[in-house]
Amino acid sequence: MPNTGPEPVVTTPPLEVAVGLVLDAEGRVLVSRRLAGRHLAGYWEFPGGKIDAGESAFAGLVRELHEELGIVVRAGVQCLTVRHDFAECSVALRVFRVTDWSGEVHGREGQEWAWRDPATLDPADFPAANHPMFQALVLPQRYLITPSPAVRAEIPAVVEQVQAALVDMDGAMLQVRAPSLGRADYRALVEPLHRFARARGIPLLANAPWEWVADLSGIGWHLPERRWRALDERPSVSGLVAASVHDAEGLAEAARLGLDLAVLSPVHSTVSHPGVPGMGWAQFAAQVREAGVPVYALGGMRASDLDQARTCGAQGIAAIRGLLGMEAGEAAV
């Protein structure tokens, strides 16, 4: 018999599902319980359902939430695509942050539903693919990055400036970045900020070798590209783990490693990197839609860019000067 070569590999496309993160006026998120006899019966979930052939993800979301819960979704922005392999099937969850809806919620299929504080949700009550959605619900919209002191004598002024900025922000997260400092001086910077942040419930991530900060309780780790590329799995860190990325490949790797968030840059060209062109908001939005983790926009960001970033699906913005009220030096070129 003639040699026809290896058998072709037949792959089944993932099941496309639209999911809505619907909030009420009190900031509670809408959840429902899967009915008996269905896949993952008994688990709580964020509402949604299968996208029909030829239907857009948003149209599928509108239809499913009306059919299941009787509400009318008028607007939303896709902020995640979570890909997950269950034993029974593979799924691509197109996750939308619903920004405008109306109607009275009721379980039209007899399912249980509830409004829940996102901070109190127990991941064990939800399917395994939901972790990025929890983060999208609780992570703040502003990710402040510290200015980098050139010498130890500048550290107290930087600490004072950052603390004052955090007090004025309505929800924030902090990255302590100081590439010019050695271990002892970095500790002199991070320790007072760590105490300040813990006392106020502000997530703090160190952008430094982990052994420099491993003894600081609850601290997170921000990974520049050279560090996350050296990893095969999520590092064992009690706090949040983030990655700096520059393209779709980086976003995909952040999701594969199970990280909590990514910072995608540059959106605009900046004074600090004049030879690097910005991707612009359209390309940024396209990459965010496919990202498997919440994404922050970086590169020429000002506080006034937050609404634009959120419209593009971002969790929020990351910046140094732009979140310290010093936008002129960090403005887009």
Side-chain angles (χ1 to χ4, degrees):
M1 296 182 64
N3 182 4
T4 57
E7 291 290 328
V9 177
V10 179
T11 58
T12 303
L15 182 67
E16 295 276 338
V17 176
V19 177
L21 304 179
V22 183
L23 300 177
D24 69 1
E26 298 177 30
R28 299 175 301 177
V29 66
L30 180 60
V31 295
S32 60
R33 193 188 292 271
R34 294 186 65 83
L35 293 168
R38 293 187 176 180
H39 180 232
L40 301 172
Y43 279 97
W44 288 92
E45 66 178 354
F46 303 108
K50 181 181 176 182
I51 301 168
D52 288 342
E55 187 177 45
S56 72
F58 182 70
L61 178 76
V62 173
R63 176 182 51 76
E64 286 286 345
L65 266 60
H66 188 258
E67 290 176 356
E68 291 185 8
L69 295 166
I71 64 174
V72 177
V73 173
R74 291 192 288 260
V77 58
Q78 187 176 337
C79 56
L80 291 166
T81 292
V82 181
R83 304 180 190 277
H84 190 82
D85 295 326
F86 293 101
E88 300 86 352
C89 63
S90 296
V91 296
L93 306 176
R94 309 294 182 177
V95 183
F96 287 81
R97 186 169 58 241
V98 175
T99 56
D100 188 17
W101 64 277
S102 63
E104 295 293 329
V105 180
H106 56 284
R108 301 182 75 175
E109 299 175 343
Q111 74 274 37
E112 185 179 356
W113 62 272
W115 292 105
R116 296 283 177 80
D117 179 350
T120 66
L121 296 177
D122 184 350
D125 294 335
F126 289 74
N130 281 221
H131 175 77
M133 301 177 216
F134 296 136
Q135 296 297 354
L137 286 166
V138 300
L139 286 173
Q141 297 179 21
R142 298 166 182 84
Y143 190 14
L144 174 61
I145 305 169
T146 60
S148 180
V151 294
R152 189 181 185 94
E154 297 178 1
I155 290 174
V158 169
V159 170
E160 182 179 355
Q161 181 184 32
V162 169
Q163 290 176 345
L166 290 171
V167 167
D168 290 340
M169 288 185 196
D170 181 19
M173 187 164 56
L174 177 64
Q175 177 193 152
V176 181
R177 178 182 180 274
S180 62
L181 298 183
R183 182 170 185 164
D185 288 347
Y186 184 86
R187 288 289 300 214
L189 173 65
V190 75
E191 286 177 0
L193 291 173
H194 178 251
R195 290 192 297 270
F196 180 89
R198 279 181 64 81
R200 291 160 178 78
I202 298 170
L204 184 149
L205 292 80
N207 188 336
W210 183 246
E211 59 270 20
W212 291 11
V213 296
D215 62 311
L216 297 178
S217 177
I219 198 167
W221 198 15
H222 188 101
L223 304 167
E225 186 165 353
R226 68 182 185 279
R227 289 200 174 101
W228 62 253
R229 284 196 179 277
L231 297 176
D232 293 321
E233 59 185 14
R234 178 191 171 93
S236 180
V237 174
S238 60
L240 297 170
V241 184
S244 290
V245 304
H246 306 289
D247 52 30
E249 177 196 358
L251 289 173
E253 187 63 9
R256 186 192 71 79
L257 290 169
L259 306 188
D260 300 298
L261 62 130
V263 174
L264 178 60
S265 69
V267 178
H268 304 305
S269 296
T270 62
V271 172
S272 57
H273 296 83
V276 181
M279 67 184 72
W281 285 118
Q283 184 178 343
F284 176 85
Q287 296 197 42
V288 167
R289 284 193 293 272
E290 297 297 320
V293 297
V295 178
Y296 289 80
L298 175 68
M301 291 296 102
R302 304 181 181 193
S304 57
D305 287 317
L306 179 58
D307 287 345
Q308 176 68 65
R310 295 278 289 178
T311 298
C312 291
Q315 185 71 21
I317 60 172
I320 302 174
R321 300 177 68 87
L323 288 175
L324 288 173
M326 303 164 63
E327 290 94 336
E330 192 73 9
V333 176

